[in-house]
């Protein structure tokens, strides 16, 4: 049985503002652990600890901070299988996918550790004699990190690692569903010798401690990933306080299939984009736009592919997709499935869950067709294994349909036409555009983020993350 704890100022604290049982979404009768929920006092303690640690941490050389991150990476790698199993039990991602996610966390730590010895500024020519003028990047201070449950290891690390290498200290508030995994991660980091107060973990419900974190304590920046409604509110609160903020929010991502696409190659990619992680990715393919000349052939191939997907408990190594993460998620996604059955043609549907699956939050993957562009299944983010299939007369209409969304996170085009490929990369209104690749799966060294209501228009991952977690200081000195 696992238990969540807070890690504040180098000490483990079991909060006492309530408890919540964590059950396995693959088998809801199985209790995985207990969450111990925080109140406002723990958030205030975390801010005091992070503020106290900031001076010494920010004064370390980049190389010294890098050594800490390298140790974190090594420690996490040594505990991969334990973290993988716990995360599978807590939120239901299939074990093969979860193993890849944890290793992504290891690589992210090493990637950002390497930034500790890279340039952090530039020399700027002065118009005056005997003046040296240059810029340097300096840390922001104390950063609040608020993370979702769907990537319980990778998303926290791709926020925390660049924040730390830049010299900031962190208060991390994970989603409740991912808090057991968060606790184990921080235990591993503490065992690796991360100094007290540099990273502080506070477990609790957003409704109980979110406002304290965002409105009451002294923060210098906030990085958030989650729903558009919550992200928009966070942006408003941060703007009111003049706190730097970063919000990564929803998506309604489109994959366009043109007449010349090779179905044998591209159908598996479209299916993966739509249904891996049970569709619980902000970059998941939820709209499939197919040119009319290949529509029937694609629809038949898609039917066959979806019918062969294995829906099974997360620890089954052959599972293609597992359950959705929670009771509330099950209810929300099921309502979209019921709407599809009532108002759409169910073009493709996966088989029932494997033996024992009836005890979990399993939802069979479906593809809905016969919908107009104003239908909720085409416009709203489902965050589950539900995709809408649309038909386009040609490339121009396909791109137009792709862009008819309030979101603009990721989009893909499948074609062998180089001209259309380049036009799509220019014309698609999304922060991440890909040709002959699925909408999900952006590499960790590349900037991650969206346009429109998908993002606050900053970028995570890659070199772009360093821009968010620092401020630029312009320096000049006359030496005569």
């Amino acid at each position: 049985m696992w238990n969540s704890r807070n890690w504040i100022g180098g000490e483990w604290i079991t909060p006492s503002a309530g408890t919540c049982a964590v059950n396995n979404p693959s088998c809801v009768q199985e209790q995985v652990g207990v969450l111990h929920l925080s109140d406002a006092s723990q958030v205030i303690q975390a801010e005091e600890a992070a503020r106290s640690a900031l001076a010494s941490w920010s004064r370390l050389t980049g190389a010294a901070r890098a050594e800490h991150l390298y140790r974190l990476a090594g420690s996490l790698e040594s505990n991969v299988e334990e973290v993988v199993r716990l995360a599978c039990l807590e939120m239901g991602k299939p074990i093969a996918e979860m193993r890849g996610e944890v290793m992504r966390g290891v690589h992210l730590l090493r990637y950002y550790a390497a930034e500790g010895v890279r340039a952090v500024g530039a020399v700027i020519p002065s118009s005056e004699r005997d003046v040296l003028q240059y810029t340097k990047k300096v840390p922001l201070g104390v950063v609040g990190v608020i993370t979702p449950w769907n990537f319980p290891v990778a998303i926290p690390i791709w926020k925390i690692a660049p924040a730390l290498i830049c010299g900031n200290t962190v208060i991390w508030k994970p989603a409740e569903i991912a808090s057991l995994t968060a606790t184990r991660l921080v235990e591993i980091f503490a065992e690796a010798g991360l100094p007290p107060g540099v990273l502080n973990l506070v477990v609790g419900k957003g409704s109980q401690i979110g406002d304290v974190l965002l409105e009451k304590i002294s923060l210098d920046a906030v990085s958030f990933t989650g729903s558009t409604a919550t992200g928009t509110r966070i942006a408003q609160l941060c703007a009111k306080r003049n706190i730097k903020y970063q919000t990564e929010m929803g998506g309604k991502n489109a994959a366009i299939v043109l007449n010349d696409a090779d179905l044998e190659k591209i159908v598996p990619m479209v299916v993966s984009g739509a249904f891996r992680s049970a569709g619980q990715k902000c970059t998941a393919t939820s709209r499939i736009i197919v040119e009319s000349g290949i529509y029937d052939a694609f629809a038949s191939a898609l039917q066959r592919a979806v019918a062969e997907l294995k829906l099974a408990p997360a620890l089954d190594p052959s599972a293609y997709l597992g359950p959705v993460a929670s009771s509330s998620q099950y209810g929300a996604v099921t309502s979209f499935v019921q709407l599809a059955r009532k108002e759409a043609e169910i073009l493709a549907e996966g088989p029932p869950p494997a033996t024992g699956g009836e005890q979990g939050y399993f939802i069979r993957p479906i593809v809905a067709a016969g919908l107009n562009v104003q239908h909720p299944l085409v416009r709203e983010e489902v965050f589950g294994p539900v995709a809408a299939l649309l038909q386009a007369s040609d490339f121009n209409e396909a791109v137009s349909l792709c862009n008819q969304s309030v979101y603009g996170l990721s989009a893909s085009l499948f074609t062998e036409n180089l001209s259309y490929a380049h036009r799509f990369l220019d014309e698609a209104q999304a922060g991440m555009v890909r040709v002959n690749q699925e909408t999900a799966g952006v590499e960790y060294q590349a900037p991650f983020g969206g346009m429109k209501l998908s993002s606050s228009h900053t970028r995570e991952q890659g070199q772009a993350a360093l821009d968010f977690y620092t401020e630029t200081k312009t320096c000049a000195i006359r030496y005569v």
Side-chain angles (χ1 to χ4, degrees):
M1 186 76 69
W2 298 86
N3 288 276
S4 71
R5 296 185 290 172
N6 289 346
W7 174 249
I8 299 174
E11 295 183 4
W12 288 107
I13 300 168
T14 300
S16 56
T19 60
C20 180
V22 180
N23 295 321
N24 180 359
S26 294
C27 181
V28 296
Q29 289 82 10
E30 177 187 349
Q31 185 173 344
V32 178
V34 177
L35 296 188
H36 297 268
L37 305 174
S38 305
D39 60 20
S41 66
Q42 275 91 55
V43 182
I44 294 168
Q45 284 180 311
E47 189 274 330
E48 292 170 349
R51 190 66 60 185
S52 176
L54 178 63
S56 58
W57 180 253
S58 62
R59 281 200 299 265
L60 289 179
T61 65
R65 291 195 293 266
E67 286 302 315
H68 283 287
L69 265 63
Y70 281 125
R71 283 196 290 273
L72 301 188
S75 186
L76 178 56
E77 188 169 27
S78 297
N79 290 275
V80 163
E81 293 306 316
E82 181 191 17
V83 175
V84 167
R85 181 177 175 82
L86 173 57
C88 290
L89 292 173
E90 186 173 23
M91 57 77 59
K93 184 176 292 186
I95 190 167
E97 274 193 83
M98 197 65 241
R99 187 174 291 112
E101 180 186 335
V102 177
M103 285 307 302
R104 184 185 181 115
V106 172
H107 297 317
L108 280 159
L109 285 163
R110 290 179 175 146
Y111 175 86
Y112 284 111
E115 294 300 320
V117 293
R118 294 206 172 104
V120 293
V123 175
I124 303 168
S126 174
S127 60
E128 300 183 55
R129 290 174 55 86
D130 302 327
V131 171
L132 174 63
Q133 183 171 246
Y134 62 95
T135 62
K136 63 179 180 179
K137 292 181 176 179
V138 298
L140 299 171
V142 176
V143 176
V145 167
I146 305 171
T147 58
W149 47 261
N150 61 326
F151 283 86
V153 175
I155 289 180
I157 289 177
W158 85 43
K159 294 177 184 290
I160 292 168
L164 295 184
I165 199 63
C166 290
N168 304 286
T169 55
V170 173
I171 303 170
W172 176 22
K173 191 271 178 212
E176 297 96 281
I177 298 173
S179 292
L180 298 178
T181 304
T183 300
R184 184 63 191 121
L185 274 179
V186 176
E187 287 174 352
I188 290 168
F189 294 166
E191 291 161 5
L194 193 64
V198 170
L199 174 62
N200 302 275
L201 174 69
V202 181
V203 173
K205 294 185 176 182
S207 59
Q208 295 175 340
I209 63 173
D211 287 348
V212 181
L213 180 64
L214 294 167
E215 298 186 73
K216 304 299 183 183
I217 67 171
S218 177
L219 285 180
D220 299 293
V222 174
S223 181
F224 164 85
T225 298
S227 72
T228 299
T230 302
T232 301
R233 181 172 181 270
I234 287 173
Q236 292 170 342
L237 292 172
C238 290
K240 185 177 180 180
R241 299 182 66 194
N242 197 30
I243 296 171
K244 192 174 186 179
Y245 64 88
Q246 174 182 70
T247 56
E248 290 298 336
M249 301 176 285
K252 193 66 178 174
N253 312 293
I256 298 172
V257 181
L258 297 187
N259 288 336
D260 65 346
D262 184 331
L263 293 183
E264 185 176 350
K265 293 179 179 178
I266 69 101
V267 168
M269 288 188 277
V270 173
V271 170
S272 176
F275 300 127
R276 290 285 188 188
S277 299
Q280 298 172 124
K281 298 179 181 179
C282 56
T283 54
T285 301
S286 55
R287 295 179 294 151
I288 306 168
I289 302 166
V290 184
E291 196 172 5
S292 56
I294 201 173
Y295 183 88
D296 290 340
F298 176 86
S300 297
L302 187 63
Q303 286 175 327
R304 293 190 295 271
V306 173
E308 295 175 356
L309 300 182
K310 184 174 181 179
L311 176 62
L315 293 179
D316 185 337
S318 64
Y320 191 93
L321 69 161
V324 296
S326 65
S327 175
S328 61
Q329 185 70 1
Y330 182 82
V333 178
T334 297
S335 68
F336 280 104
V337 173
Q338 292 170 344
L339 182 63
R341 296 193 186 284
K342 180 180 179 181
E343 299 184 3
E345 171 196 354
I346 305 302
L347 183 91
E349 185 167 13
T355 303
E358 67 276 0
Q359 298 178 339
Y361 298 127
F362 292 95
I363 297 177
R364 296 164 68 179
I366 65 168
V367 179
L371 300 166
N372 65 59
V373 295
Q374 301 302 320
H375 194 278
L377 288 166
V378 180
R379 295 177 60 85
E380 297 178 17
E381 184 177 34
V382 176
F383 221 67
V386 179
L389 185 66
L390 304 171
Q391 187 171 173
S393 59
D394 57 18
F395 170 81
N396 290 330
E397 184 182 12
V399 174
S400 176
L401 287 171
C402 173
N403 291 338
Q404 288 182 40
S405 175
V406 297
Y407 299 108
L409 185 56
S410 182
S412 291
L413 174 74
F414 294 93
T415 186
E416 295 181 4
N417 186 304
L418 190 60
S419 176
Y420 283 148
H422 282 288
R423 281 189 57 192
F424 168 79
L425 295 174
D426 285 341
E427 296 173 20
Q429 296 169 1
M432 297 174 289
V433 287
R434 300 149 71 82
V435 174
N436 296 326
Q437 293 181 288
E438 63 180 78
T439 58
V442 179
E443 296 184 26
Y444 62 82
Q445 68 272 31
F448 181 101
M451 299 177 178
K452 302 180 182 179
L453 288 183
S454 289
S455 170
S456 58
H457 315 294
T458 61
R459 292 294 180 265
E460 298 190 289
Q461 297 195 132
Q463 300 291 303
L466 306 175
D467 293 331
F468 175 75
Y469 291 106
T470 57
E471 290 188 294
T472 298
K473 180 179 286 188
T474 300
C475 307
I477 181 170
R478 187 184 300 277
Y479 51 88
V480 173

